[in-house]
């Protein structure tokens, strides 16, 4: 298998087949919280994609070039979460300073991202799958896009649901979860696509 | 983050906002003031700690009422055994981190607060993960990366923020126990439904008769979402009925 | 500088204390974790080489995509220190997640000794059956290993299974069954040459026949 196909497969695999939200249950909190308006959801998703790509690269480098050679693998979780937190801070400062327009559109989501399990989870899964560096970055990017797609889809559904008559107890989180369940069934169609 | 916490603090709208912070105070003041003055401080603190415990366990259940910690709730509830392990691991982490955060609450500066919470939590998560790997290797494999993901479980960081960084050690520990057991209870309920429908079994033992056709979908991610969605509906319905009764 | 310490002494102290705590925990539990890993591997190997008395570990060099890389092979030895079979690890992508297998070959490298699943997170109730479906796993026992195996869907009524190279897939888990077979085929391909050199098996004995296989069938 040549390098490029490998990368494309890693990308599709994490964006569709192993979609973070639908098969790995990562990033459910913002998924339930922010997915009320489509543009908000897309903004959040893009912020996640941005940070996730960077953190995937950073954590891969730190893990493989520092932690594993020094046999410090057991401090992985702490290091990962610190890297992600500082990554978020850096990105926030940078974007605020140099791209005020961009900051206006998705800056408000950045502080929320540190506790988004999609980021840490993806970095951990990448480590678990034993990806190489390029593959890790591509997977980070693909995971972010998959997440964006999931919450954008969900937001679209929720906007319609606002107009629907939902039984009182199911309103809010209940119907969102049920809709997510049905979406998940649809996403199962992608399973087995990647070999 | 702020949004998350404000959401947390305003959950259960029926109880007049700020429920988490007010609840124990309300419970404490339900006794006549004169009487509570006579009660030794220790006893009062004990009752406050207990009221936190009970409150977190069910009424303010992190999963059903707070919608916190969703990712393990959905991911590890295909069977009861991993759910129980996960619940206990999370309880361990939340109790330890609550205790430690509470110990250093006076030294916390605002800009380092979240960093310290995360650091504390991740240390205990690492310990829990090593423990599972060393003593329950099969379980550790089933749970996989969902154990380290306890670090970003918003439930724990929310308790550190809204309780442990303000209250004493004993109360924080009880609060951690209550939240942890509440979480365990919730995910075991979910896992029970899923395992029964998917395997006709509970805790690995088959209990439904042979003619039961397993609903495999219950083991799949879709089953997790659907079950939790309908369970939330039931809980909200019960809650609303109780409130209506109280109002009447 | 002083300002810095005043602001962050807590972080520094905690970082140190936590580091120490973790190091101690890790140091005390690491041997157990390592032992668990080895036990799991050994259980897998023993489930394939049921008749092995002891297991030797060797590292061979195989070729993948023009590059040379190391590959570990476990040799099962009987009481007379004669090899009863070789086991190596194989991994690949299944229906949902990665699949890690152990593949066993007979002493003549002509037939499979069986497979064991080290890791699989396939669809519960369907693909997950590769873990415990004896019927599926048994198909790899005594199957000729000289050319790739094919997966067929269910035993055909009109055409009873005549081809030794056919693996009948698990109902409802065709893709997982194909993935397992593909992983086995690919890894076998990679390992064969190195194993042949390692064991000193000449090429000519590779023609598997019923008679030749008697020594290593189960």
């Amino acid at each position: 298998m040549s390098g490029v196909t490998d990368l494309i497969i890693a990308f599709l695999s994490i964006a569709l087949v192993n979609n973070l939200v639908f098969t790995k249950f990562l990033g459910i909190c913002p998924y339930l919280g922010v997915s009320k308006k489509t543009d908000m959801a897309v903004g959040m998703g893009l912020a996640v994609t941005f940070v996730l790509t960077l953190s995937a690269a950073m954590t891969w480098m730190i893990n493989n070039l520092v932690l594993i050679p020094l046999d410090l693998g057991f401090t992985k979780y702490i290091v990962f979460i610190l890297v992600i937190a500082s990554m978020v801070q850096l990105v926030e400062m940078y974007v605020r300073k140099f791209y005020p327009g961009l900051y206006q559109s998705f800056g408000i989501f950045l502080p929320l991202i540190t506790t988004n399990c999609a980021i840490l989870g993806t970095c951990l899964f990448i480590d678990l799958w034993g990806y190489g560096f390029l593959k890790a970055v591509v997977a980070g990017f693909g995971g972010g896009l998959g997440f964006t797609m999931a919450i954008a889809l969900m937001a679209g559904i929720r906007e319609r649901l606002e107009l629907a008559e939902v039984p009182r107890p199911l309103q809010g989180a209940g119907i969102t979860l049920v809709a997510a369940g049905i979406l998940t069934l649809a996403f199962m169609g992608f399973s087995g696509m990647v070999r | 983050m702020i949004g998350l916490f404000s959401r947390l603090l305003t959950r259960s709208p029926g109880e007049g906002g700020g429920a988490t912070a007010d609840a124990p105070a309300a419970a404490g003041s339900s006794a006549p003031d004169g009487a509570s003055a006579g009660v030794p401080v220790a006893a009062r603190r004990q009752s406050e700690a207990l009221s936190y415990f009970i409150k977190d366990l069910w009424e303010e259940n992190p999963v059903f009422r707070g919608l916190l910690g969703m990712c393990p709730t959905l991911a590890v509830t295909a069977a009861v055994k991993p759910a129980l392990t996960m619940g206990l691991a999370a309880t361990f982490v939340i109790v330890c981190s609550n205790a430690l955060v509470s110990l250093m609450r006076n030294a916390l500066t605002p800009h380092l607060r979240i960093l310290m919470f995360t650091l504390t939590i991740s240390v205990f998560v690492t310990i829990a993960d090593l423990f599972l790997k060393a003593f329950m290797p099969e379980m550790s494999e089933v749970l996989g990366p969902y154990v380290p993901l306890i670090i970003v479980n918003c439930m724990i960081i929310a308790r550190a923020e809204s309780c442990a960084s303000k209250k004493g050690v004993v109360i924080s520990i009880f609060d951690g126990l209550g939240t942890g057991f509440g979480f365990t209870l919730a995910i075991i309920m979910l896992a029970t439904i899923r395992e029964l429908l998917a395997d006709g079994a509970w805790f690995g033992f088959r209990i439904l008769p042979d003619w039961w056709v397993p609903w495999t979908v219950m083991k799949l991610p879709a089953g997790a979402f659907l079950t939790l969605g309908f369970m939330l509906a039931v809980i909200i319905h019960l809650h609303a009925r109780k409130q209506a009764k109280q109002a009447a | 500088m002083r300002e810095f310490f005043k602001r962050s002494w807590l972080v520094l102290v905690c970082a140190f204390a936590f580091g120490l705590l973790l190091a101690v925990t890790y140091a005390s539990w690491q041997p157990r974790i390592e032992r668990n890993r080895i036990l799991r591997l050994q259980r897998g190997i023993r489930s394939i080489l049921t008749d092995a008395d002891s297991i030797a570990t060797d590292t061979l060099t195989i070729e993948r995509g023009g590059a040379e890389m190391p590959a570990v092979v476990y040799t099962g030895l009987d009481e007379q220190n004669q090899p009863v079979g070789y086991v190596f690890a194989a991994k690949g992508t299944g229906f949902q997640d990665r699949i890690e297998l152990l593949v066993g070959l007979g002493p003549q490298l002509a037939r499979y000794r069986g497979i064991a699943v080290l890791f699989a997170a396939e669809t519960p109730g369907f693909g997950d059956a590769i873990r415990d479906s004896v019927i599926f796993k048994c198909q790899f026992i005594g199957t000729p290993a000289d050319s790739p195996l094919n997966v067929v869907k269910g035993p055909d009524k009109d055409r009873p299974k005549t081809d030794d190279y056919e693996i009948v897939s698990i109902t409802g888990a065709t893709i997982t069954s194909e993935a397992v077979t593909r992983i086995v085929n690919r890894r076998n391909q990679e390992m064969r040459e190195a194993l042949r050199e390692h064991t000193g098996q000449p090429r000519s004995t590779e023609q598997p026949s019923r008679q030749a296989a008697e020594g290593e069938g189960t």
Side-chain angles (χ1 to χ4, degrees):
Chain A
M1 208 184 298
S2 76
V4 181
T5 355
D6 212 28
L7 291 183
I8 293 173
I9 283 178
F11 176 81
L12 286 179
S13 154
I14 200 161
L16 297 175
V17 183
N18 285 320
N19 187 285
L20 298 181
V21 176
F22 294 128
T23 64
K24 302 286 182 221
F25 307 102
L26 299 174
I28 301 281
C29 291
Y31 180 76
L32 293 175
V34 195
S35 63
K36 284 214 177 89
K37 287 246 162 55
T38 317
D39 47 348
M40 283 262 282
V42 171
M44 173 82 177
L46 291 180
V48 167
T49 311
F50 192 56
V51 175
L52 185 48
T53 315
L54 287 176
S55 339
M58 280 302 286
T59 49
W60 189 93
M61 281 201 277
I62 290 178
N63 191 31
N64 284 275
L65 303 180
V66 181
L67 293 185
I68 292 179
L70 293 179
D71 198 19
L72 283 172
F74 63 97
T75 57
K76 193 164 59 191
Y77 307 147
I78 302 180
V79 173
F80 277 25
I81 191 73
L82 288 182
V83 166
I84 292 167
S86 43
M87 216 66 207
V88 172
Q89 289 273 320
L90 274 179
V91 168
E92 193 191 357
M93 287 194 297
Y94 182 80
V95 171
R96 184 157 49 186
K97 182 127 196 221
F98 294 103
Y99 302 97
L102 197 65
Y103 185 76
Q104 288 286 315
S105 56
F106 77 67
I108 44 165
F109 301 113
L110 282 172
L112 269 171
I113 287 177
T114 316
T115 49
N116 183 339
C117 33
I119 313 255
L120 180 65
T122 312
C123 295
L124 289 170
F125 271 112
I126 287 173
D127 176 45
L128 194 71
W129 292 330
Y131 278 3
F133 179 68
L134 266 182
K135 224 172 158 185
V137 177
V138 168
F141 182 63
L145 282 190
F147 176 81
T148 311
M149 184 177 63
I151 60 170
L153 273 175
M154 205 57 226
I157 292 178
R158 279 182 91 164
E159 277 178 6
R160 301 284 184 293
L161 275 177
E162 297 277 299
L163 306 172
E165 274 190 55
V166 178
R168 174 93 59 88
L170 267 176
Q171 276 170 13
I175 194 71
T176 313
L177 284 166
V178 172
I182 297 167
L183 256 180
T184 308
L185 281 178
F187 263 74
M188 272 177 66
F190 289 117
S191 295
M193 198 178 75
V194 168
R195 3 190 84 199
Chain B
M1 191 87 75
I2 305 304
L4 194 132
F5 294 139
S6 62
R7 188 160 68 84
L8 176 92
L9 287 170
T10 54
R11 66 191 171 166
S12 71
E15 290 168 37
T20 331
D22 295 344
S29 65
S30 66
D33 272 334
S36 74
V39 177
V41 180
R44 228 181 27 231
R45 202 174 279 156
Q46 202 177 13
S47 75
E48 193 185 353
L50 270 180
S51 79
Y52 256 106
F53 177 77
I54 292 162
K55 197 94 188 159
D56 288 331
L57 192 61
W58 183 249
E59 266 175 62
E60 295 291 324
N61 187 291
V63 175
F64 294 137
R65 307 292 308 161
L67 290 182
L68 297 171
M70 281 292 133
C71 104
T73 305
L74 292 162
V76 302
T77 49
V80 177
K81 225 174 184 173
L84 179 67
T85 319
M86 179 52 137
L88 294 182
T91 309
F92 163 76
V93 173
I94 196 172
V95 168
C96 293
S97 72
N98 257 8
L100 206 61
V101 166
S102 168
L103 276 177
M104 59 191 184
R105 67 185 185 278
N106 293 324
L108 285 175
T109 45
H111 65 287
L112 287 178
R113 213 182 50 222
I114 300 293
L115 175 70
M116 286 312 298
F117 293 165
T118 327
L119 207 60
T120 318
I121 295 168
S122 50
V123 167
F124 290 111
V125 167
T126 308
I127 292 178
D129 186 61
L130 285 174
F131 177 85
L132 286 180
K133 273 189 184 139
F135 297 96
M136 304 167 77
E138 280 93 16
M139 230 350 89
S140 154
E141 199 165 286
V142 172
L143 294 176
Y146 293 101
V147 179
L149 280 174
I150 298 177
I151 296 175
V152 281
N153 191 326
C154 17
M155 169 184 93
I156 296 179
I157 212 166
R159 294 322 292 165
E161 168 80 9
S162 66
C163 176
S165 60
K166 298 195 181 78
K167 302 278 175 182
V169 180
V170 179
I171 293 179
S172 300
I173 290 179
F174 271 88
D175 178 70
L177 278 175
T179 311
F181 285 143
F183 173 71
T184 313
L185 188 74
I187 61 175
I188 284 187
M189 279 170 68
L190 196 61
T192 303
I193 298 178
R194 285 181 69 191
E195 197 179 352
L196 263 184
L197 294 179
D199 284 337
W202 195 79
F203 215 84
F205 300 109
R206 186 158 178 119
I207 52 174
L208 287 185
D210 278 341
W211 47 259
W212 178 259
V213 179
W215 299 14
T216 303
V217 70
M218 279 299 162
K219 271 199 173 174
L220 304 177
F225 283 112
L226 293 176
T227 321
L228 185 62
F230 286 117
M231 257 181 97
L232 276 179
V234 171
I235 303 265
I236 290 171
H237 178 69
L238 291 179
H239 194 78
R241 223 169 56 176
K242 198 173 139 200
Q243 269 185 354
K245 227 185 231 167
Q246 273 170 357
Chain C
M1 196 65 186
R2 176 176 277 171
E3 188 63 13
F4 173 78
F5 277 114
K6 213 165 149 189
R7 274 162 181 254
S8 55
W9 66 269
L10 187 68
V11 180
L12 295 176
V13 169
C14 281
F16 185 73
F18 289 163
L20 207 65
L21 179 66
L22 274 190
V24 169
T25 322
Y26 179 72
S28 53
W29 286 343
Q30 171 57 22
R32 257 197 105 97
I33 297 176
E34 187 60 21
R35 209 178 64 202
N36 286 336
R37 198 184 63 80
I38 293 171
L39 270 180
R40 197 174 66 125
L41 188 65
Q42 285 209 333
R43 253 201 312 270
I45 298 171
R46 296 258 177 208
S47 76
I48 298 173
L49 304 176
T50 38
D51 48 349
D53 192 54
S54 59
I55 292 163
T57 310
D58 298 290
T59 307
L60 312 180
T61 314
I62 61 164
E63 216 183 285
R64 180 185 288 170
E68 289 195 336
M69 43 171 56
V72 179
V73 63
Y74 307 95
T75 311
L77 302 165
D78 62 9
E79 287 92 341
Q80 283 85 45
N81 261 2
Q82 291 304 306
V84 293
Y86 304 92
V87 171
F88 46 84
K91 58 185 167 188
T93 322
F95 185 57
Q96 287 182 319
D97 210 323
R98 70 194 205 283
I99 297 180
E100 284 177 31
L101 305 168
L102 285 176
V103 183
L105 286 177
Q108 265 90 53
L109 304 182
R111 286 173 184 267
Y112 289 107
R113 280 291 310 263
I115 58 167
V117 179
L118 279 186
F119 179 91
E122 298 299 285
T123 326
F126 294 108
D128 211 36
I130 54 166
R131 276 173 179 283
D132 35 38
S133 165
V134 179
I135 301 177
F136 178 73
K137 281 200 276 192
C138 278
Q139 297 184 81
F140 288 92
I141 298 177
T143 316
D146 56 333
S147 74
L149 305 172
N150 307 310
V151 175
V152 293
K153 270 193 185 184
D156 200 332
K157 266 188 220 130
D158 310 322
R159 189 178 58 91
K161 189 184 165 191
T162 49
D163 191 342
D164 274 352
Y165 299 93
E166 275 178 6
I167 298 288
V168 176
S169 65
I170 298 172
T171 312
T174 314
I175 295 180
T176 303
S177 311
E178 277 172 357
V180 169
T181 313
R182 191 180 61 242
I183 293 167
V184 170
N185 282 337
R186 203 167 54 199
R187 189 66 171 162
N188 180 36
Q189 198 82 31
E190 279 181 352
M191 294 293 292
R192 278 182 92 62
E193 204 53 48
L195 261 176
R196 208 177 275 139
E197 260 169 46
H198 172 66
T199 57
Q201 292 285 345
R203 238 162 214 286
S204 51
T205 60
E206 270 311 304
Q207 214 43 263
S209 60
R210 288 269 166 227
Q211 291 86 342
E214 255 163 347
E216 50 184 275
T218 29

